[in-house]
Amino acid sequence: MAKNYIGIDLGTTETTVSVIEIEKITDNPLDKLRTLDIYQYNEQFEFDKNIKSLQSSIYIDRDNKIIYTGKYAKKLYSDGNRPLNTIRSIKTRLGGESMIEVPLDSDKNNIKNYDMTELSAVFLKTVKMSIDKQISGNLDEVTITVPAGFNSDERSSTIQAARMAGFKNVNLLDEPTAVLLNFLNDEDNDFDYSFFNKPKNIVVYDIGGGTLDISIAKVQDNDDGDFDVKIITRSKRMDFGGDNIDKYIAAYFLKEFESLEENGSLDERTPEEQAQIVSRIVSNAEKHKIAFSQNISKYLDNPRRRSRVKESVNFEIINGLKVTDLTLTDDLLKDILKDIISPNGMLLDPLKRTMQSSNLKNKDIDLIILTGGSGKFYLIEETLSKFFKDIEIIEFT
């Protein structure tokens, strides 16, 4: 009898889902692994069955009693439309008493509170309905990845949300551990695995949209053709990721916008206008950060060409008022993000503390695996490279 095992990478920025479909006992699970589509409304408000990821955004249309998840909801947020009805980064607000107020669009004074666990269940329901349309048979197990630093309340809320969405047998797996196991079992990887003939200390540096997870594991190839993996230490919970980098860049955009007297201050505007301005500035910060990173990544070892890379920034903020004639450069980004990329900044401080907790020095580390959606931003790998110097860093997603 066929058995289906589901894996959900529940991200702060986006979520993906895979399935292993076992038909007979001799099946190799890795041969039966495939990524599923997640059905959702796309940016053009068309129902799309061919999208591999679900953007971690929710739009609550209380007037029509409909909740949208994914690309359409993110597009509304990015455009600054209905800013009080769109929610992002639910994962980092799970657990405890986290609530959000959502008005009726037609009556801003008609407020309703939503619990983050309930909203996570709605989000996971989109995933569940998509799975049901693409596989046959029962869902025997679902494994959901969570930050290693999640506490018991956050883990319980994740399980509760999954069960509310319709999943029955729910398991949790720490994200850095999932990445390491995937790396070790990736048959398409050209890495020389004889490297693990002797015990090696591996740092998994997992930086997503809203969380930073660091695990250090001792790995050795065993006599059975597999790997012995022992997690030495994990970082504490840290709500830090690409969203924070975007906010630093957005703060620079806002400062430049407010420097013109005719634009006025954010504090002088209504709550809805403030939400609209923030959504547009943060979304454009993310957009231009990604574009600049992609462009400069080709020239990181060429100082002359690198210094010439520029990203022009022009966009409307509100009521025809615009951010105009701004230009991002490598030097400017380094200055904007100095609190993040400095030797004692937000990228390296938790890494140092995690290593110190197990009395590990740089010389004790043999390999770094950089993963997570934000790991592609060029200044993150560069900051790690300066810290670890000659130790190899592998970007693995």
Side-chain angles (χ1 to χ4, degrees), residues 40-309:
Q40 60 194 280
Y41 283 92
N42 62 24
E43 295 176 347
Q44 290 74 42
F45 195 49
E46 300 166 338
F47 193 69
D48 197 329
K49 297 182 179 180
N50 299 296
I51 303 176
K52 295 295 184 186
S53 63
L54 184 67
Q55 296 293 321
S56 297
S57 300
I58 291 180
Y59 163 53
I60 301 175
D61 181 356
R62 285 189 59 209
D63 289 299
N64 297 300
K65 299 181 180 179
I66 301 174
I67 298 180
Y68 298 93
T69 59
K71 282 188 173 292
Y72 176 60
K74 183 176 181 181
K75 180 67 163 55
L76 288 177
Y77 178 86
S78 300
D79 290 344
N81 294 326
R82 301 171 180 84
L84 300 179
N85 299 69
T86 51
I87 303 120
R88 299 175 68 206
S89 304
I90 294 169
K91 173 175 139 182
T92 57
R93 290 184 277 179
L94 274 170
E97 301 296 328
S98 185
M99 304 284 288
I100 191 166
E101 294 182 343
V102 178
L104 276 172
D105 192 51
S106 57
D107 182 0
K108 300 297 188 297
N109 295 316
N110 187 328
I111 301 293
K112 183 175 179 179
N113 292 318
Y114 287 84
D115 176 81
M116 286 300 167
T117 302
E118 295 173 342
L119 291 179
S120 293
V122 170
F123 188 78
L124 286 168
K125 185 67 174 178
T126 301
V127 177
K128 175 68 164 55
M129 293 173 66
S130 300
I131 294 170
D132 290 341
K133 297 288 186 182
Q134 296 174 77
I135 67 171
S136 58
N138 296 324
L139 303 184
D140 295 276
E141 299 280 347
V142 59
T143 298
I144 300 175
T145 59
V146 296
F150 257 21
N151 61 33
S152 58
D153 286 343
E154 291 160 329
R155 291 172 187 270
S156 296
S157 293
T158 302
I159 293 173
Q160 182 183 355
R163 288 174 177 164
M164 290 168 64
F167 295 105
K168 294 181 180 178
N169 300 316
V170 183
N171 305 297
L172 302 182
L173 178 63
D174 288 349
E175 289 165 356
T177 304
V179 170
L180 179 58
L181 294 175
N182 191 16
F183 172 77
L184 294 174
N185 291 282
D186 185 2
E187 296 178 351
D188 297 326
N189 198 336
D190 59 3
F191 185 81
D192 183 3
Y193 286 95
S194 64
F195 175 78
F196 295 107
N197 287 344
K198 294 182 179 179
K200 303 292 183 181
N201 290 330
I202 312 300
V203 171
V204 181
Y205 193 97
D206 184 359
I207 181 165
T211 56
L212 171 58
D213 257 339
I214 302 165
S215 286
I216 303 177
K218 186 176 292 292
V219 179
Q220 183 175 11
D221 193 356
N222 61 30
D223 296 333
D224 299 325
D226 206 346
F227 298 95
D228 292 326
V229 178
K230 178 184 178 183
I231 304 299
I232 301 173
T233 187
R234 298 181 176 90
S235 62
K236 293 183 179 179
R237 168 68 184 272
M238 186 173 181
D239 288 340
F240 175 84
D243 290 352
N244 301 83
I245 295 172
D246 297 342
K247 288 173 183 176
Y248 267 76
I249 299 171
Y252 169 76
F253 290 169
L254 181 61
K255 180 181 177 181
E256 293 298 306
F257 175 76
E258 290 183 327
S259 67
L260 299 177
E261 188 175 344
E262 61 267 27
N263 290 337
S265 168
L266 183 68
D267 295 335
E268 297 170 354
R269 297 186 177 273
T270 66
E272 186 171 19
E273 288 176 330
Q274 290 180 1
Q276 184 180 47
I277 289 171
V278 168
S279 64
R280 287 184 177 173
I281 287 184
V282 171
S283 296
N284 275 277
E286 178 189 27
K287 171 186 171 183
H288 289 291
K289 175 196 72 176
I290 292 172
F292 184 83
S293 183
Q294 290 173 340
N295 289 335
I296 201 172
S297 292
K298 302 185 284 277
Y299 310 113
L300 295 180
D301 295 327
N302 186 329
R304 186 176 178 182
R305 294 289 299 273
R306 174 174 177 156
S307 66
R308 293 179 177 177
V309 178

